[in-house]
Amino acid sequence: MRVFLIHIIFSVSFTTSFFSNQLAAQSKVKLQGRWSCVVPPSDIAEAGSDYMEIYESGSSDVQFSVNDNFFAELFGYNWSVSIRKSDVLWDNTAEILVQRTSDGTPYLFTGSISGGTSYQQVTDVDMYFFSGNRGRENISIQYKLQGISVVMKPQRYTTYIVYTVSAY
């Protein structure tokens, strides 16, 4: 029996520019939710074929929030999010893609959010995901897993998805 258990674990880091260090020191970044993907043998359509092509999380299984302090909100605090993966045990034929599926809601004052609304592959190198102005809560994130193959060894594969928030 061939079963793959895919764990995607999330973590967040925060960086700031010299201008906003005092404002950002009181900011909060929160990432909640999780997604694990079990790929059972029943996903093989017929003898001699491969697994289903795509596995997707729910459109709001993971929520991302950037909650700024009052003064940062008042002055129009800007931030951007980059993303990368850090493998524990991973087969590089399997690809993880990510997209933002909602704008979330304003924290205190109306701000803006842009980018990240179409799937992009998560690699081992930091890449821009999306950015915003002022705090946003409950921004929905969706994941897609593709490239699972019968030639992969059946086992538990794990990777960390690392989000880095830069304030400026």
Side-chain angles (χ1 to χ4, degrees):
M1 181 166 153
R2 298 177 65 88
V3 176
F4 300 93
L5 181 57
I6 311 294
H7 285 287
I8 299 173
I9 304 166
F10 310 103
S11 66
V12 176
S13 63
F14 196 75
T15 62
T16 62
S17 68
F18 71 94
F19 176 72
S20 59
N21 279 340
Q22 293 302 317
L23 298 176
Q26 298 173 27
S27 297
K28 298 175 199 141
V29 176
K30 181 172 70 172
L31 184 65
Q32 60 188 37
R34 65 183 181 153
W35 181 51
S36 290
C37 181
V38 177
V39 181
S42 60
D43 280 358
I44 297 177
E46 59 187 56
S49 67
D50 218 335
Y51 285 92
M52 290 174 37
E53 241 179 77
I54 297 172
Y55 298 87
E56 279 186 301
S57 70
S59 63
S60 61
D61 285 354
V62 177
Q63 302 285 313
F64 191 89
S65 297
V66 178
N67 301 334
D68 299 323
N69 66 57
F70 177 77
F71 293 108
E73 286 284 301
L74 189 62
F75 294 114
Y77 197 71
N78 295 311
W79 47 267
S80 67
V81 178
S82 61
I83 190 169
R84 67 177 168 85
K85 68 183 182 70
S86 178
D87 301 334
V88 175
L89 176 62
W90 196 255
D91 186 312
N92 286 329
T93 60
E95 298 175 343
I96 298 174
L97 294 93
V98 63
Q99 71 178 352
R100 178 175 62 83
T101 56
S102 81
D103 291 346
T105 56
Y107 175 58
L108 292 176
F109 301 103
T110 302
S112 63
I113 187 168
S114 63
T117 56
S118 59
Y119 274 118
Q120 59 190 60
Q121 185 177 351
V122 181
T123 66
D124 298 337
V125 178
D126 275 318
M127 62 182 188
Y128 170 81
F129 185 22
F130 62 91
S131 58
N133 173 267
R134 296 192 164 114
R136 306 292 295 181
E137 296 185 303
N138 302 315
I139 302 163
S140 296
I141 307 293
Q142 184 175 29
Y143 295 89
K144 182 191 301 186
L145 178 64
Q146 61 189 27
I148 302 298
S149 173
V150 293
V151 298
M152 291 172 61
K153 181 180 176 184
Q155 62 186 14
R156 179 186 304 235
Y157 293 95
T158 304
T159 190
Y160 285 92
I161 303 297
V162 180
Y163 292 84
T164 302
V165 179
S166 299
Y168 49 94

